[in-house]
Amino acid sequence: MAKSSQVRGVAIDKNYRHCGALSIDLEGDGARYLFQNPEDTKIATPDPDRPATNGPAGWLPVLLALALCGWFATFIGPVSRGEVLRVSFDWAPSLGISLSFLVDGLSLTFLLLISGIGALVLLYSDSYLRGHHQYGRFALYLTSFMLAMLGLVSADNLIALFVFWELTTITSYLLIGFDADKEKTGAKARRSALQALLVTGAGALALLAGLILMGEVAGSYEISQINAQGDVVRNSVLYLPIVVLVLAGAFTKSAQVPFHFWLPNAMAAPTPVSAFLHSATMVKAGVYLMARLHPSLSGTDFWLWTLTVAGAVTAVFASLQALRQSDLKQVLAYTTLMALGTLTLFLANTSGYAITAFVTFLVVHSLYKAALFLVVGCIDTATGTRDAALLGGLARSMPVTMLAAAVAAMSMAGFPPFLGFIGKELKYAGALAVASEPVLVAGAVLLANALMLAAAGVVSFKPFWRPAGGALPRTPKEAPWPMLAGPVILASLGALFGINPDLLQSSVVAPTVAALLGTPAEAKELALWAGVNLPLVLSLATFALGLLLYAFHTRLRALLQRVLGALPDFDARWDDVLNGLKVLAGWQTRLLQTGRLRMYMAVILFTFAAVIAATLALKGAVVIAPDFSGLAPKHLTVIGLIVIGSAIVTLTDSRMASIAALGTVGIGVAMVFILYSAPDVAITQLLVETLVVVLVAVAMLRMPHLGAPGERDIRPRDALLALFVGGGVTLTLLAVLATPMDLRLTEFFEETSGPLAHGRNIVNVILVDFRAIDTFGEIAVVVIAALSGYALLRTGKEAGR
Amino acid sequence: METLLSLTIGLLVAAAVYLMLARNVLKFLFGMILLSNAANLLIFTAGRLTFGEPPLIAAGEKLPPPGVANALPQALVLTAIVIGFGLFAFALVLVFRAYTTLGTLNTDDMRVAEPQEEADR
């Protein structure tokens, strides 16, 4: 019984995979079924030289993304002039839910980033996974994700936003688990996919609750309307629960400590996916949400401190973790965490500096991080490894990759004249100008920046210029142009915007700041040279500290391994949580599903009675008005028959007495029908009662006694439950009898029986005319029961032979 | 009479529940018969009791005399009686078949779907 052992959470039986698709599957094998292709035995290795192409699946999505990006680019003009584009379709008007979209500065920034990077990543994937037997599926997932993400950042309705939010969760799950059937890494991919799904999915449930509360408080589900009257939400008594729930969604999605652990694991996905989802776009959905709702939720101490603390802790923690890793992708994963922490930190505030820094860093990070991920993918493809300790000397064999990596890394490290430098200056300005604890915030940012500089060196300097640490699995050679296009273009954009910050200022930064703070005037100027000031000094300190850290990073890594190894391991705690869930499920299964019919009956009956009792109590429907008037001996005789009969059935162990008593009850009930004007019912009751007695008597001939002789079967607990249920039914009936009777339907039958159906017995007319189909169904039930009974008896005979 | 009948129905239900919680599956079956009777009486009573006025239309009349019994619950109960009988007959055959196959009437020993060792581990 593989299924039961799994449900009870004891040892996981290896065979349960056969039924894994049908059961709740905490081990992540569900992912395997989703992705599994029965014929699929070959393992796809990325090999750009393979002659096969991916056909239209390779280039069609790229064209789609490019077209979208071009279309969004046409919005730059109107949006930078301060216009807000809005379009709305009715979805569920009765619930106030519409499918409405809005494009302002914030949305447009994200739209351009998503579609632009999406086009480059799709182009890259076509080469990275050239000839992969499931490329069509991959392209479908990735394109679906991109469209969901575009919907998310342009939705103007809380519910629509949530739907897109969950679509990104699902597509992310599919993409992380894309390698689910690989021999070596499949298990990890499945676990990581499920972990990401459960963590972000749980956060999303909280988010949904928060969004609904918000919509109810504000009286509208349209985000633009809610933001236009932000004080309503802020001053509401529900403000605190709203913020907590919304932040639970945002923090899980954007991997803030302590929900960060799923993100580095999500790097099990193919590299282009990591570049797109888990660095440039999806993980920023949480940040986007905080920014989108910033006008309604920010400006309170709770918001300020929650975001400041979560952001600062995440940023520093992630930077330290980044230096500890030796897998290039893991290094980048943790620096992404650091970026997300920093972005959260800036959203804590409402000052122009912080928000300007937020937008700038958002763009900077997306550009360089996507570029670096793609570079790592190139290195991985070319050499067969991502181990920083092993890699080296690639500058000669991969010059273009080296150049793109260097430019992107300079931006990441914050050197002039790249956009990263401007971003860093603004970060310091933002930290110093506004935070209530400038020293703490600036310190955290400084430390994180210095560590990031060192990490940039690890990713993009060491593999190219330092001597190799060992034999590479493959002789490196330059990647094909579609794989270089992404890193080169993204890195160049970082340089272009660094040299010409005005390009970004008017088209992206000012409109976004306007979207968050209400006026573009709050946007601070992006400039390479802002004079000698405190931010510049801090920048210089960052360079010094960062270079120092890089120089000693190998020794530092060993040290960090020891120190951070002592910290609690969130990933292992995750396993504990899942195991705990399984133990809980096992415990409650053992408690309720004992396999004993009596237990099941007791649970069902108790629940039934408890629901009745609770309803009666809550509605105050208990009516105690005993009315025993008009009772004649004939009434008492009939009732006496029923009472005595049921008492005998209950108490006797004699079969004959039971049959006789059942007959007595049946006849008593029939007499009630006769007394109270239901002759047809009474006739049927008498016939059926006779048949029941005959059938039971026949069956008794072949079956043993009811109980062991001399042993009384008395069960006080069952008796108590029986009285509870019976009492509930009596009180319900009394409550029903106390309400006025609605006779409209009966009157209809009385008025139409004669003229329309030409029958004088109204009960009969109802059965064979008005409710003929019902009666037909009833006959069918009896026939089916008879046939099934016959079949059971026949097979029983054959089995007995 | 309504009050007395309500109490009687409650008693019938209680007896039925007590029997359905028994180990012996035949007693469970007896409980089912009682429960079916209780349910029929419940529907009938909830539709109000009328003494000695069956819902019939006299020959030549268009409408029944005023104050006849409520016809609708009677029609529903008629259907319910027959369905209850079908259920009972099938359950009886099932019990009989289970007895010939498993050799017991004790539900605690009928553990083919959920075997003892798994549950009590």
Side-chain angles (χ1 to χ4, degrees):
Chain A
M1 291 280 112
K3 181 176 161 256
S4 12
S5 82
Q6 183 201 3
V7 168
R8 301 208 160 89
V10 196
I12 295 301
D13 188 339
K14 285 282 172 262
N15 297 323
Y16 82 85
R17 286 187 180 163
H18 299 299
C19 57
L22 297 170
S23 54
I24 299 166
D25 185 352
L26 296 173
E27 287 296 295
D29 273 31
R32 190 185 175 90
Y33 284 91
L34 261 170
F35 304 113
Q36 203 167 38
N37 177 344
E39 297 158 18
D40 163 36
T41 44
K42 65 175 173 177
I43 305 301
T45 42
D47 180 1
D49 293 335
R50 207 179 300 169
T53 66
N54 293 323
W59 49 265
L60 256 179
V62 183
L63 287 186
L64 175 70
L66 272 180
L68 283 170
C69 189
W71 184 43
F72 297 140
T74 61
F75 297 156
I76 293 179
V79 169
S80 60
R81 283 195 299 276
E83 285 179 37
V84 172
L85 313 167
R86 201 168 177 284
V87 58
S88 180
F89 308 95
D90 275 352
W91 191 1
S94 55
L95 299 173
I97 298 167
S98 60
L99 196 57
S100 52
F101 296 97
L102 168 145
V103 178
D104 61 1
L106 179 65
S107 289
L108 187 60
T109 308
F110 272 93
L111 287 173
L112 287 170
L113 282 174
I114 294 161
S115 55
I117 297 179
L120 294 172
V121 165
L122 282 161
L123 179 69
Y124 181 95
S125 308
D126 186 27
S127 293
Y128 186 81
L129 293 174
R130 167 137 301 184
H132 193 290
H133 59 290
Q134 286 182 347
Y135 188 76
R137 199 179 286 194
F138 179 81
L140 175 70
Y141 294 160
L142 204 58
T143 315
S144 316
F145 164 76
M146 183 181 74
L147 295 175
M149 194 68 204
L150 291 172
L152 165 58
V153 297
S154 56
D156 190 30
N157 185 285
L158 290 175
I159 303 300
L161 182 139
F162 176 78
V163 170
F164 287 119
W165 179 281
E166 283 298 64
L167 281 175
T168 66
T169 306
I170 292 165
T171 41
S172 163
Y173 167 72
L174 293 169
L175 285 164
I176 299 171
F178 186 68
D179 284 335
D181 45 6
K182 268 198 185 177
E183 200 69 38
K184 273 189 217 152
T185 54
K188 182 169 171 12
R190 294 196 297 274
R191 177 180 184 274
S192 305
L194 192 71
Q195 187 181 49
L197 181 75
L198 291 180
V199 173
T200 53
L205 284 181
L207 172 66
L208 179 62
L211 294 181
I212 290 174
L213 279 184
M214 199 168 171
E216 292 301 317
V217 165
S220 165
Y221 282 89
E222 298 296 301
I223 298 171
S224 44
Q225 286 181 25
I226 297 173
N227 279 345
Q229 36 157 6
D231 282 339
V232 175
V233 179
R234 261 192 299 275
N235 297 334
S236 139
V237 283
L238 287 173
Y239 172 76
L240 200 64
I242 291 174
V243 172
V244 169
L245 289 167
V246 168
L247 287 185
F251 281 5
T252 47
K253 193 80 160 179
S254 280
Q256 299 295 302
V257 173
F259 307 114
H260 62 283
F261 52 88
W262 70 267
L263 184 56
N265 285 340
M267 298 297 153
T271 302
V273 173
S274 310
F276 193 33
L277 272 70
H278 306 119
S279 176
T281 57
M282 188 189 81
V283 289
K284 299 227 172 78
V287 176
Y288 168 81
L289 183 75
M290 291 187 266
R292 177 47 79 209
L293 300 178
H294 194 268
S296 297
L297 298 179
S298 70
T300 62
D301 277 352
F302 182 74
W303 173 271
L304 174 71
W305 283 108
T306 311
L307 265 65
T308 305
V309 170
V313 169
T314 306
V316 174
F317 171 82
S319 308
L320 289 171
Q321 284 281 4
L323 272 193
R324 178 189 167 193
Q325 308 298 324
S326 66
D327 180 339
L328 291 182
K329 245 177 114 173
Q330 289 293 322
V331 176
L332 290 179
Y334 279 107
T335 56
T336 302
L337 267 185
M338 173 266 164
L340 294 171
T342 313
L343 288 170
T344 306
L345 197 58
F346 287 130
L347 284 176
N349 293 293
T350 50
S351 87
Y353 269 114
I355 302 304
T356 310
F358 162 76
V359 193
T360 316
F361 186 55
L362 178 81
V363 177
V364 179
H365 175 259
S366 297
L367 294 179
Y368 75 67
K369 189 53 67 65
L372 285 178
F373 262 111
L374 298 178
V375 162
V376 168
C378 290
I379 295 178
D380 192 10
T381 310
T383 65
T385 181
R386 298 193 307 246
D387 191 344
L390 214 59
L391 288 164
L394 297 176
R396 188 163 302 159
S397 45
M398 306 179 72
V400 185
T401 312
M402 180 275 289
L403 209 66
V407 174
M410 296 286 259
S411 194
M412 172 170 168
F415 284 110
F418 300 99
L419 188 56
F421 177 74
I422 301 178
K424 182 157 56 64
E425 298 279 288
L426 277 169
K427 275 198 257 174
Y428 287 131
L432 289 171
V434 295
S436 20
E437 292 284 336
V439 180
L440 178 101
V441 176
V445 173
L446 182 114
L447 186 60
N449 273 335
L451 288 163
M452 197 142 78
L453 191 149
V458 173
V459 175
S460 52
F461 183 74
K462 192 152 184 290
F464 297 98
W465 298 104
R466 304 291 299 168
L472 297 175
R474 222 177 284 164
T475 318
K477 63 171 181 295
E478 191 59 276
W481 73 266
M483 289 179 67
L484 291 173
V488 168
I489 291 176
L490 292 170
S492 319
L493 281 177
L496 179 72
F497 289 141
I499 297 163
N500 282 314
D502 290 346
L503 281 178
L504 209 57
Q505 177 92 44
S506 62
S507 60
V508 167
V509 174
T512 308
V513 173
L516 266 75
L517 298 180
T519 163
E522 283 280 346
K524 302 302 168 195
E525 195 190 349
L526 275 59
L528 271 180
W529 180 249
V532 179
N533 50 17
L534 195 51
L536 186 71
V537 176
L538 286 173
S539 266
L540 295 177
T542 310
F543 293 144
L545 184 60
L547 291 173
L548 207 66
L549 285 171
Y550 174 68
F552 293 103
H553 81 267
T554 336
R555 254 175 280 173
L556 205 60
R557 185 184 298 158
L559 182 71
L560 283 173
Q561 290 281 19
R562 275 205 306 280
V563 177
L564 293 180
L567 280 176
D569 181 356
F570 288 90
D571 205 36
R573 293 292 85 74
W574 165 258
D575 286 334
D576 291 347
V577 169
L578 279 197
N579 285 329
L581 267 180
K582 276 192 272 185
V583 171
L584 181 72
W587 170 78
Q588 69 97 13
T589 305
R590 268 190 299 275
L591 188 71
L592 295 176
Q593 316 255 328
T594 54
R596 282 200 298 272
L597 181 66
R598 292 186 299 129
M599 178 68 188
Y600 294 136
M601 288 307 298
V603 170
I604 292 168
L605 290 166
F606 178 79
T607 312
F608 168 72
V611 168
I612 288 184
T615 312
L616 284 173
L618 286 176
K619 302 266 179 194
V622 179
V623 182
I624 311 273
D627 173 17
F628 294 107
S629 59
L631 288 179
K634 61 183 173 191
H635 299 128
L636 294 175
T637 316
V638 170
I639 299 294
L641 278 180
I642 299 177
V643 171
I644 293 169
S646 46
I648 292 176
V649 190
T650 314
L651 299 174
T652 185
D653 274 343
S654 152
R655 299 183 302 177
M656 286 318 290
S658 296
I659 297 173
L662 278 177
T664 313
V665 174
I667 287 167
V669 172
M671 286 167 81
V672 173
F673 292 143
I674 292 176
L675 274 178
Y676 291 102
S677 327
D680 300 291
V681 184
I683 291 167
T684 316
Q685 169 78 14
L686 281 173
L687 273 175
V688 163
E689 210 49 56
T690 315
L691 271 174
V692 166
V693 170
V694 170
L695 285 181
V696 173
V698 169
M700 289 291 192
L701 291 176
R702 307 282 295 273
M703 284 196 271
H705 289 272
L706 289 174
E711 191 185 300
R712 299 292 298 163
D713 177 26
I714 293 174
R715 295 163 281 130
R717 269 200 305 181
D718 291 354
L720 214 61
L721 178 55
L723 287 178
F724 185 31
V725 179
V729 171
T730 297
L731 286 177
T732 309
L733 185 53
L734 287 174
V736 169
L737 289 172
T739 56
M741 182 73 193
D742 181 354
L743 282 171
R744 273 176 298 170
L745 200 52
T746 305
E747 278 158 11
F748 166 81
F749 288 127
E750 286 171 356
E751 284 159 17
T752 49
S753 274
L756 291 186
H758 305 290
R760 295 195 286 120
N761 182 335
I762 301 175
V763 176
N764 274 358
V765 168
I766 293 176
L767 283 175
V768 300
D769 197 313
F770 291 116
R771 300 181 56 82
I773 303 256
D774 200 37
T775 307
F776 182 71
E778 167 200 332
I779 295 167
V781 167
V782 174
V783 171
I784 291 168
L787 283 175
S788 323
Y790 179 64
L792 267 177
L793 290 174
R794 258 190 84 94
T795 53
K797 266 184 205 156
E798 277 159 16
R801 270 177 207 159
Chain B
M1 183 65 177
E2 275 89 346
T3 312
L4 188 61
L5 213 46
S6 300
L7 289 171
T8 310
I9 292 167
L11 192 78
L12 266 177
V13 170
V17 166
Y18 186 75
L19 284 168
M20 289 170 97
L21 291 170
R23 283 188 187 81
N24 189 306
V25 78
L26 261 183
K27 286 197 174 179
F28 177 93
L29 217 55
F30 294 163
M32 222 171 73
I33 297 174
L34 290 187
L35 193 64
S36 156
N37 274 324
N40 293 341
L41 270 186
L42 181 89
I43 299 173
F44 188 69
T45 313
R48 302 301 189 270
L49 301 175
T50 310
F51 186 80
E53 290 274 0
L56 300 171
I57 303 171
E61 295 289 326
K62 288 207 160 180
L63 289 175
V68 293
N70 190 350
L72 187 60
Q74 294 193 17
L76 296 179
V77 169
L78 253 173
T79 309
I81 290 174
V82 177
I83 297 275
F85 172 70
L87 175 69
F88 161 76
F90 180 70
L92 181 69
V93 175
L94 208 57
V95 164
F96 181 69
R97 177 64 202 283
Y99 172 66
T100 49
T101 308
L102 302 172
T104 179
L105 284 176
N106 187 339
T107 55
D108 287 1
D109 298 334
M110 296 182 167
R111 304 292 294 259
V112 177
E114 289 167 282
Q116 190 80 39
E117 21 336 318
E118 284 280 349
D120 295 343
R121 196 151 54 176

